[in-house]
Structures are given as C-alpha cells and as structure tokens.
Amino acid sequence: ADFGRAPRQREIVEVRVDLSPQNMTDGDQMDTEPIEAVAASSAPLEDEEEDCSDLATLLDSCDDLASASDKIPVLESILNEPANRYGPKASAIKERAVYAVARAYCEDNRFDDVVTLLTGTTCAAFFANITNAKTAKVVRAVLDAVCALAPDQLDMQAQICRNIISWCQTEKRSFLRQRVESKLASVLFQQDKYGEAVAMVDGLLVELKKLDDKQLLVEVHLVESKVHHGLRGMAKAKAALTASRTSANAIYVAPALQSQIDLQSGVLHCEEGDYDTAHSYFLEAFEQLDQLDDREKAVPCLKYMMLCKILDGLSKALGISA
C-alpha cells in the first residue's frame, strides 16, 4: 500500500428534487392528494377541551355551605355526574371532590360511609377512568386524611384498610395493596394487636424483599421494630430498626418518616440505659418535627429529652443503670 498517497476525497453530489406542481406528472399529483388528506384528517383533536365550568362551580359552592351534611350531596353529585367527563380538568376537580367528601364524612361522624367511600359506588366510576398510579395516590391521600381527622377511631381505620385490601385483591392492584397493608399493620400496633400485626408484617416483608421496594421497606421495618418492642423482644426490635435504617440510607426519606426512625432509636437506647445517645436521637427527631411545625409530635420528643437528662444525671450521681 502506498502510504504517501493523499487520501481520496469523496465527491458529494447534491440532488435537488423540484416537487412543484408544474414539474410533476398527473400521476405524481394524484399520489400526493391522499397524503394531504390523511394529514388533515389526523389533526390533533385534543385541543378541544371539555367544559367543566359547572363542576368547578359546584365544588366552589361547597365553601359557602356551613354544615358537612349539606356539602355531601353536592360533592357526591360531582363524582356521579351524568356526563361522565374524565379529562384532565374534570379528573382534577373530581379528585378534589373525593378529598372533600372524605373530610365531610368525618366531620359529620358518618364513619360507616367513610369505610365504604373508596370501595363503594361513590368513587367506582372515577377510579375506573384514571390510571392505577393515580388511584393509588388518591386512596393513600384519603386514608391519611381520614386517620388524621379521626385519630381515635382505630376500628374504623382498620375496617377501611381491610375493605381497600379486599378491593385491591379483586382488582389485582398489588402496589396499592402492599401500602395499605403497611398502614393496617400500623393501626393494629396502635390497637395493641401485636400478633396480627407481626403476621401481616412478616408476609409483607417477603413480598417487598423480592421487589426491593426500599421506600416501603423502611416503613414496614419501622412498624416491625415498634411491634417487637411492644412484645418486649428487644433483639428483634433493634434488628428491625437496623434494617429500616439500612434501606433508608439508599433512598431519600421524608423528614416526617426520618423523625419517626430517630424517635424509635431513642426509645430503644433508653431501654438499654444509654440516655446520652437517646437524648441525641430525640433531639434530632424534635428538630425535624419542629421544622415541619408538627407540635403534637414535637412536644413528646422534648419531654423525652428532659427525662433523658434527668435519668442520665441520676444514673451518674448514684452509680446505677436502667
């Protein structure tokens, strides 16, 4: 091979095709007509947005109603409107209506209707016309809102969780079912039903470890730690809390959940008599809850901090341990 030879330059041929009508044959022009017709017929029709002004007016009118019993029929009429509109605007309005009717049921002490709200006919059409991810978001939001509005109604919370779980099994919505089972395990722990809570947590962890769902693993391991602490199984409680922290290190954890992990860590260190370390964990939990302006949960952390200082001082002064 002659390496001293200059490289051959490629010849670039520019081909221009004139597609003007005067330079085309009759056959060519005939072929272009269907293409133009198809392009015109396939013009996007999504720009024609559906009119939802009547739904928005009904939803806004609920703000003027004083009693929750007066709001409920209006909100239910929005969810079951005869036009069956489920576009982006209509879905957003109906989502707000679902949250509002859940709050109205709680304010009116109609807890039986709260139990059947998500799995009954009220929201059936709405859930059938939105995505599974959207359904999971709405169900969890309603469940959290109901638990916040009626924190003492543990039987109602457990029943609504069981109804949603049964509905998820029928509809084969595993993603949502696992999250509601986690919530049910937490409610069972608050009811001191430790045996049922442990059985549910154990079955749920088997599924989650296969899926490697870090976010839910953090929550379920935390519930597991609380349940074993209630059963006075300190070794299992510490192991579950360590597993929760390990999963939390791999993902972003919301401050509210992180504060619960720190709070549980402080409780377990108190059980071991390590009050100085427990105080630091309670302080971390208090600071996060204070930033979230959650005084209801922040004040107990402050009390635990003071108790840790008292117990630490007593143990050092008297030379005793827990």
Side-chain angles (χ1 to χ4, degrees), residues 177-179 181 198 200-222 224 228 236 239-244 246-247:
R177 174 184 57 79
Q178 292 164 353
R179 276 142 185 83
E181 285 182 351
V198 168
M200 178 154 290
V201 165
D202 290 343
L204 189 56
L205 285 175
V206 173
E207 297 183 35
L208 296 178
K209 288 178 181 178
K210 293 179 182 179
L211 299 174
D212 198 27
D213 190 340
K214 299 289 187 185
Q215 181 66 40
L216 197 53
L217 278 171
V218 173
E219 300 176 16
V220 176
H221 277 305
L222 180 59
E224 182 188 17
H228 284 301
K236 291 183 178 180
L241 184 61
T242 301
S244 179
T246 302
S247 299

Side-chain angles (χ1 to χ4, degrees), residues 80-231:
N80 298 318
E81 50 99 13
N84 293 327
R85 287 165 287 183
Y86 296 100
K89 288 186 178 180
S91 296
I93 293 173
K94 291 182 179 182
E95 180 181 352
R96 290 170 55 195
V98 172
Y99 301 147
V101 76
R103 289 193 298 268
Y105 280 148
C106 291
E107 292 172 3
D108 202 30
N109 295 325
R110 294 172 56 176
F111 297 117
D112 292 337
D113 292 328
V114 174
V115 171
T116 59
L117 170 63
L118 298 175
T119 56
T121 58
T122 305
C123 298
F126 176 60
F127 288 153
N129 288 275
I130 60 176
T131 62
N132 290 350
K134 188 74 169 180
T135 301
K137 171 181 174 285
V138 173
V139 170
R140 293 194 71 185
V142 170
L143 192 55
D144 292 339
V146 169
C147 294
L149 291 170
D152 299 330
Q153 299 291 330
L154 296 177
D155 292 335
M156 181 269 293
Q157 295 178 22
Q159 188 58 47
I160 190 173
C161 287
R162 290 190 176 95
N163 286 3
I164 295 173
I165 291 170
S166 300
W167 177 73
C168 289
Q169 291 172 342
T170 304
E171 299 291 330
K172 297 181 180 180
R173 298 175 183 253
S174 300
F175 178 85
L176 178 58
R177 174 184 57 79
Q178 292 164 353
R179 276 142 185 83
V180 178
E181 285 182 351
S182 173
K183 181 64 178 178
L184 178 58
S186 179
V187 173
L188 291 173
F189 163 72
Q190 295 177 21
Q191 291 180 310
D192 297 334
K193 297 180 179 180
Y194 299 132
E196 296 181 34
V198 168
M200 178 154 290
V201 165
D202 290 343
L204 189 56
L205 285 175
V206 173
E207 297 183 35
L208 296 178
K209 288 178 181 178
K210 293 179 182 179
L211 299 174
D212 198 27
D213 190 340
K214 299 289 187 185
Q215 181 66 40
L216 197 53
L217 278 171
V218 173
E219 300 176 16
V220 176
H221 277 305
L222 180 59
V223 175
E224 182 188 17
S225 177
K226 293 178 180 179
V227 172
H228 284 301
H229 176 252
L231 293 170

Side-chain angles (χ1 to χ4, degrees), residues 246-257:
T246 302
S247 299
N249 290 334
I251 60 171
Y252 168 77
V253 178
L257 180 56

